[in-house]
Amino acid sequence: MSGGVCKLSSAPTSAIYRWKQHELELLDYCDMTGQTLEVADSWLVSDGTVLAIELHRSRFLSSVQARGFEPATAEEFWEAAIAAIPRVGEWFPRVELLSLGGAVQFL
């Protein structure tokens, strides 16, 4: 990383994934009914380049911890989410922590 710009490398497509058993799982359908959005962050990726990705990471992880959720799980999710971002084209990924009746879900 140089001057706050991080160059990424890889290439899937637009989709929604759920963090389940230490892996990103592709969702065919995502019913958000009744869920509470606890934490979210998003950023622009242009041909694998991201401005201030460490700031986004820090903000997301500290917000997860401030809300009383497990930071180690959030870090593992973050790393997998970053690895899944396409490296070609322009993208606007979003990471989320949702809760429903005490259960949490990272998307």
Side-chain angles (χ1 to χ4, degrees), residues 18-25 70 72-77 79-81 106:
R18 167 180 52 202
W19 186 243
K20 186 175 182 184
Q21 298 177 340
H22 308 284
E23 294 182 350
L24 290 175
E25 173 184 74
E70 178 58 45
T73 302
E75 286 188 44
E76 189 178 9
F77 162 72
E79 295 303 321
F106 287 98

Side-chain angles (χ1 to χ4, degrees), residues 25-107:
E25 173 184 74
L26 180 63
L27 294 179
D28 292 327
Y29 174 73
C30 186
D31 182 4
M32 307 294 277
T33 307
Q35 296 190 21
T36 301
L37 178 62
E38 300 285 350
V39 179
D41 200 351
S42 58
W43 57 93
L44 175 65
V45 177
S46 182
D47 289 327
T49 300
V50 179
L51 182 62
I53 191 66
E54 280 303 313
L55 178 61
H56 291 281
R57 178 186 179 280
S58 175
R59 181 173 47 222
F60 182 75
L61 296 178
S62 65
S63 295
V64 167
Q65 188 169 14
R67 303 284 295 171
F69 299 105
E70 178 58 45
T73 302
E75 286 188 44
E76 189 178 9
F77 162 72
W78 176 270
E79 295 303 321
I82 293 298
I85 298 169
R87 285 9 185 211
V88 177
E90 294 210 344
W91 303 89
F92 203 76
R94 177 179 164 112
V95 290
E96 300 178 353
L97 171 63
L98 305 170
S99 67
L100 176 63
V104 298
Q105 177 171 283
F106 287 98
L107 293 180

